[in-house]
Amino acid sequence: PASAGQTVSPSGTIRTLPPTAASAAAAAATAAGPASPGTPATTASAPVRPMAVSLETDTQKDKYAYPLQITFLGRNGFTTTLYANKLADRKQWYQSIEQQQQELMERHCKFELVPVARQFPAGIRVTTADVYDQGRGVVIGTDHGLYLGVAGKPTSYQRLSHLKHDRVHQIEIHERLNVMAMIADKDRNLYVYPLDHLMTATTSSRHGLRVKALHTHVSFFRFGQFQDQDILCSVRSTTLSNQTIIHVYKPVLAPPKSRTLGRFLSLGGDALADSWKCIKECYIAAESTSLHFLRSRLCVGCTRGFEIVDLATMNTQSLLDPADASLAFVNKRDTTQPIALFRVHDGQFLLCYDVFAFYVNRNGQRARSNWMIHWVGTPTSFKFEYPYILAFDSQFIEIYHVETASVVQVIITGNCASLSPNKMHVNLCATSQSPAHPQEVLRIQHLLAKDPI
């Protein structure tokens, strides 16, 4: 609806207020927005609604109108166009809105984006990343191979040319085992490389470095623990057959030895995983998109919801209690995608879907019945840093307080992707203005944190 002093044209565009009202209207436009549907009483309204402003100089309908396009991002987003009679009036509107957005973001700022690597040109797409040596070393995976460098030193990054992998989809470093697992190549092969051989080998030894793939056509993998033993779970999920096969591997350990990565970086760890042995295989009759480790079981996010897998018996069951009537809102939705699960405290788990988030107890029953988050955007991944949950949309990051369910910050990023969604305390993302612009690798850091998270 138009505010006082505005008129709405049949096309939905809005003629501007007089230029003297620009600051007040900008404040109203940026300070509030429609609340998410179904937002409970415990959820506070967003301090800033995700919004992008652009000057559409090439779409003028006549030479006397100067358009200012405003796009509200998110699931229920829309675009509207304001028209100014003078170029100076449009500039004042644009500056007023930008100023209000900046003031609101600074007022509610809890996290900041810190560059960790050089920019990657548009022809090289960054897909994944991980850190080692307490966050000082960074490994970045792209569709043109792996890059290694030191966080905060853009000129230190070099391509690991001895690894002939042109498509890297996922990497994860396990420092205690001194290995890096990776999904790469056209067939999405799963490799596990020794870290010391990978990063400190001489040119001649690197040339002979060959690692056999553990598995092919792997959708994703996770490191975890089962019965106090390190394991690696390889997930192969197919849409056509609507099924998932999970292979569980355990490491075959070699004696420990001293390892360093040059003058400043070092590798810790008690032993080196020389090889991996498949110990279990699990089948789920649904396509899976995420995997989480409980104390003695796995939790798989799939098209049927969150499924619990008992690794001892290989039996499966739903995480949610079907007898709990308060969970009907999620059990009756076929299009909702389960993405992440986080253990909070007191035996409660935070379940994050692409539409909402809520709590359940260890029996799969609804906990905190008045608590719920409805995402403004459509998150594809999440990071949990108590007391905050970070939800990654393709255009912005929503940050909520997990005790009050209120939005505390929204970071507008442009094209955004989390590079380490499965790794706790590693918050790396890649952003760019558009697919045609360079990508920048950033760390999402709490303002009060002394160490990178």
Side-chain angles (χ1 to χ4, degrees):
S3 302
Q6 293 180 330
T7 59
V8 182
S9 68
S11 62
T13 58
I14 302 176
R15 290 284 176 177
T16 63
L17 293 162
T20 54
S23 296
T30 56
S36 302
T39 304
T42 56
T43 303
S45 60
V48 56
R49 184 172 178 84
M51 185 179 74
V53 185
S54 60
L55 303 178
E56 296 296 323
T57 57
D58 297 331
T59 58
Q60 298 184 30
K61 292 185 178 181
D62 57 69
K63 61 181 180 179
Y64 302 107
Y66 296 89
L68 178 70
Q69 190 176 81
I70 300 178
T71 300
F72 289 89
L73 306 175
R75 189 183 306 273
N76 298 315
F78 60 93
T79 297
T80 188
T81 303
L82 303 174
Y83 289 91
N85 293 324
K86 299 179 181 180
L87 184 62
D89 293 347
R90 184 181 69 170
K91 182 178 180 180
Q92 184 179 354
W93 273 81
Y94 182 82
Q95 292 176 343
S96 296
I97 294 175
E98 289 277 285
Q99 180 181 352
Q100 290 292 333
Q101 282 189 306
Q102 186 65 31
E103 291 178 359
L104 284 168
M105 286 188 287
E106 291 177 356
R107 189 185 311 161
H108 298 279
C109 186
K110 300 293 184 182
F111 291 81
E112 62 180 348
L113 301 180
V114 181
V116 299
R118 67 177 179 85
Q119 286 190 340
F120 287 82
I124 300 178
R125 186 172 64 92
V126 178
T127 56
T128 179
D130 202 356
V131 301
Y132 59 91
D133 193 34
Q134 299 180 348
R136 289 184 291 177
V138 182
V139 181
I140 298 173
T142 74
D143 55 4
H144 282 67
L146 286 172
Y147 291 79
L148 172 67
V150 179
K153 296 184 177 181
T155 59
S156 67
Y157 286 82
Q158 296 181 353
R159 186 175 183 270
L160 300 179
S161 57
H162 59 287
L163 295 180
K164 307 301 181 182
H165 301 296
D166 58 348
R167 301 180 186 178
V168 180
H169 304 280
Q170 180 188 353
I171 61 174
E172 185 171 338
I173 294 174
H174 196 305
E175 288 195 78
R176 191 170 67 252
L177 296 176
N178 289 298
V179 297
M180 182 187 71
M182 172 175 62
I183 298 177
D185 304 331
K186 180 180 178 180
D187 293 332
R188 298 186 66 95
N189 300 320
L190 175 60
Y191 302 95
V192 182
Y193 281 97
L195 271 182
D196 51 352
H197 291 175
L198 180 68
M199 301 177 185
T200 66
T202 62
T203 303
S204 59
S205 61
R206 281 177 171 178
H207 182 73
L209 180 60
R210 294 291 185 271
V211 174
K212 184 179 179 180
L214 286 183
H215 212 72
T216 61
H217 302 289
V218 178
S219 302
F220 61 93
F221 67 86
R222 288 291 305 272
F223 282 111
Q225 282 197 326
F226 172 64
Q227 296 179 345
D228 297 325
Q229 181 181 31
D230 292 304
I231 60 174
L232 171 63
C233 292
S234 168
V235 182
R236 180 176 180 178
S237 185
T238 58
T239 304
L240 294 178
S241 58
N242 197 32
Q243 66 178 11
T244 297
I245 300 177
I246 303 174
H247 292 88
V248 182
Y249 296 88
K250 73 172 184 178
V252 178
L253 302 179
K257 58 182 179 180
S258 176
R259 301 170 182 87
T260 61
L261 295 180
R263 182 178 176 185
F264 300 104
L265 304 179
S266 62
L267 288 175
D270 301 324
L272 173 66
D274 272 355
S275 60
W276 295 79
K277 179 182 179 181
C278 186
I279 57 175
K280 291 181 181 295
E281 184 175 311
C282 174
Y283 169 81
I284 298 177
E287 182 185 1
S288 300
T289 54
S290 64
L291 185 145
H292 315 276
F293 293 91
L294 305 179
R295 285 193 174 91
S296 59
R297 296 173 294 176
L298 298 178
C299 182
V300 180
C302 61
T303 52
R304 298 192 313 200
F306 285 105
E307 294 282 313
I308 297 294
V309 180
D310 189 325
L311 288 177
T313 64
M314 307 310 290
N315 293 330
T316 64
Q317 67 179 47
S318 173
L319 170 66
L320 301 181
D321 184 357
D324 187 348
S326 65
L327 293 172
F329 71 94
V330 62
N331 290 328
K332 293 181 179 180
R333 295 178 68 116
D334 296 331
T335 59
T336 303
Q337 180 181 353
I339 298 178
L341 173 150
F342 302 100
R343 186 191 303 272
V344 182
H345 51 67
D346 300 330
Q348 294 183 349
F349 296 89
L350 178 61
L351 304 187
C352 296
Y353 294 72
D354 62 341
V355 178
F356 43 64
F358 58 92
Y359 280 103
V360 297
N361 59 26
R362 65 187 64 189
N363 298 319
Q365 300 165 337
R366 181 79 182 274
R368 308 190 194 187
S369 58
N370 293 326
W371 190 104
M372 196 169 188
I373 293 175
H374 288 266
W375 310 115
V376 174
T378 306
T380 56
S381 61
F382 297 88
K383 299 295 292 188
F384 178 61
E385 297 291 341
Y386 186 84
Y388 304 108
I389 182 73
L390 288 75
F392 290 80
D393 181 84
S394 61
Q395 296 293 320
F396 56 90
I397 304 171
E398 303 174 61
I399 304 174
Y400 288 74
H401 197 290
V402 298
E403 299 295 343
T404 63
S406 60
V407 176
V408 296
Q409 186 180 0
V410 176
I411 304 176
I412 301 176
T413 59
N415 287 268
C416 176
S418 175
L419 301 178
S420 52
N422 297 324
K423 194 77 173 286
M424 290 292 292
H425 308 298
V426 179
N427 287 353
L428 298 175
C429 67
T431 66
S432 66
Q433 295 182 22
S434 72
H437 286 79
Q439 279 185 298
E440 189 171 14
V441 178
L442 307 167
R443 181 178 70 244
I444 307 170
Q445 179 172 293
H446 195 284
L447 292 179
L448 300 180
K450 296 181 180 180
D451 299 319
I453 60 174

